[in-house]
Amino acid sequence: MDSSSAYLFSGLDEGQMKKIMAIGKEIPMKKGQQIFREGQEANGVYVLRRGAVELMTVLEKDFDLPISLLRNPGDVFGSSALVPPYQYSLSARCVEEGTLFCMETKALRELALEDHDIGFQIMTNLAEYFLERVKETRQEVKIHFKTLLSSTRS
Amino acid sequence: MDSSSAYLFSGLDEGQMKKIMAIGKEIPMKKGQQIFREGQEANGVYVLRRGAVELMTVLEKDFDLPISLLRNPGDVFGSSALVPPYQYSLSARCVEEGTLFCMETKALRELALEDHDIGFQIMTNLAEYFLERVKETRQEVKIHFKTLLSSTRS
């Protein structure tokens, strides 16, 4: 796993990583395949091994807003599976055939609860990641507001 | 502390809460007082005891966009102090005289590192809280996009 982009596991040592690797398995994905949908009960956390995945959010019926395109081996997605309400906050679709590493959410949460050293590290990484997403999304809101402001002024 | 709204400490037992209370102190705040500014190095995590605090983000020079108004005793703010880059992601200003409980960030982070049971619980709460903020902010982006879509269609 490319540890540089696998933010979720940053800071874990080799022994801890072995425990995590033990609860996952590789699965193939085909172009166009829906991996999961926004709002679904989240049963797996995914690491991209090969290929590309698009993350989207439902804007309205039959209209999804693209949020990001993952194509770096090691990219993690579906991590909202680890916090209440344990649902996917986005939809994920394969846009280029490849391989995923899928960790069963239940097993990963149990491991974090049993071993609070692992749990602390994962949850710290997750909090940092979500805070970055808050700032990024807030930045988009600001762009919209600025556009509104400038159209009011002109 | 009103534990119902102090999301950061949810799930901690009495003994753990005592350790946390020991590293904080009460401070008064006056109406109009700037508590901290967005982007500043974050030295404290705050719990509202009495009064009201407004959280804002800088839209452009001399123009702040209000994000939320806190008026429930137990409301926590400044929690971005606990994750890298250890900076406030918003500005906070007192809008109604009152009292804050301020915990020194360094001491709180040390406590979380020393005691991974406390650390795991706090970081889990924080990840959950930031994920909620991501969804809430994404919702705002969607509203803007829908407005754009409907104006294009009409």
Side-chain angles (χ1 to χ4, degrees), chain A residues 57-59 116-117 142 146, chain B residues 57 59 116-117 142 146:
Chain A
T57 184
V58 181
L59 189 64
H116 274 184
D117 291 342
K142 285 186 191 181
K146 281 186 186 174
Chain B
T57 184
L59 189 65
H116 274 183
D117 291 343
K142 286 187 192 180
K146 281 186 186 172

Side-chain angles (χ1 to χ4, degrees), chain B residues 58-107:
Chain B
V58 181
L59 189 65
E60 51 186 51
K61 197 177 172 298
D62 304 324
F63 194 107
D64 286 341
L65 196 64
I67 298 288
S68 60
L69 182 65
L70 311 177
R71 40 170 71 262
N72 298 314
D75 280 348
V76 174
F77 61 103
S79 54
S80 63
L82 292 173
V83 293
Y86 309 115
Q87 289 171 356
Y88 292 119
S89 63
L90 295 172
S91 299
R93 198 168 55 91
C94 170
V95 289
E96 195 187 301
E97 190 183 276
T99 313
L100 297 174
F101 183 74
C102 174
M103 291 158 290
E104 209 207 328
T105 314
K106 203 167 160 279

Side-chain angles (χ1 to χ4, degrees), chain A residues 79-80 83 126-134, chain B residues 127 130-131 134:
Chain A
S79 54
S80 63
V83 293
L126 206 54
E128 183 180 350
Y129 176 76
F130 288 145
L131 178 60
E132 278 167 25
R133 298 289 81 73
V134 175
Chain B
F130 288 145
L131 178 60
V134 174

Side-chain angles (χ1 to χ4, degrees), chain B residues 8-130:
Chain B
L8 194 61
F9 307 122
S10 146
L12 293 177
D13 64 29
E14 214 178 312
Q16 293 171 324
M17 278 312 294
K18 266 193 186 156
K19 286 189 185 180
I20 286 168
M21 293 295 101
I23 59 174
K25 60 171 192 278
E26 285 212 347
I27 52 172
M29 59 171 182
K30 281 191 179 159
K31 190 171 169 174
Q33 184 187 330
Q34 191 82 30
I35 302 161
F36 54 72
R37 282 184 199 280
E38 184 177 339
Q40 262 183 356
E41 195 189 333
N43 298 314
V45 178
Y46 296 85
V47 182
L48 183 67
R49 282 276 166 85
R50 193 174 56 77
V53 169
E54 187 177 38
L55 302 180
M56 294 152 300
T57 184
V58 181
L59 189 65
E60 51 186 51
K61 197 177 172 298
D62 304 324
F63 194 107
D64 286 341
L65 196 64
I67 298 288
S68 60
L69 182 65
L70 311 177
R71 40 170 71 262
N72 298 314
D75 280 348
V76 174
F77 61 103
S79 54
S80 63
L82 292 173
V83 293
Y86 309 115
Q87 289 171 356
Y88 292 119
S89 63
L90 295 172
S91 299
R93 198 168 55 91
C94 170
V95 289
E96 195 187 301
E97 190 183 276
T99 313
L100 297 174
F101 183 74
C102 174
M103 291 158 290
E104 209 207 328
T105 314
K106 203 167 160 279
L108 193 52
R109 276 169 45 202
E110 275 167 9
L111 178 62
L113 276 169
E114 269 168 36
D115 184 332
H116 274 183
D117 291 343
I118 292 182
F120 173 71
Q121 193 58 54
I122 286 183
M123 287 303 168
T124 303
N125 295 339
L126 207 53
E128 182 180 352
Y129 176 75
F130 288 145

Side-chain angles (χ1 to χ4, degrees), chain A residues 141 145, chain B residues 135-145:
Chain A
V141 173
F145 266 102
Chain B
K135 290 187 202 165
E136 190 181 80
T137 314
R138 214 174 261 154
Q139 211 49 46
E140 279 187 60
V141 173
K142 286 187 192 180
I143 291 168
H144 286 290
F145 266 101

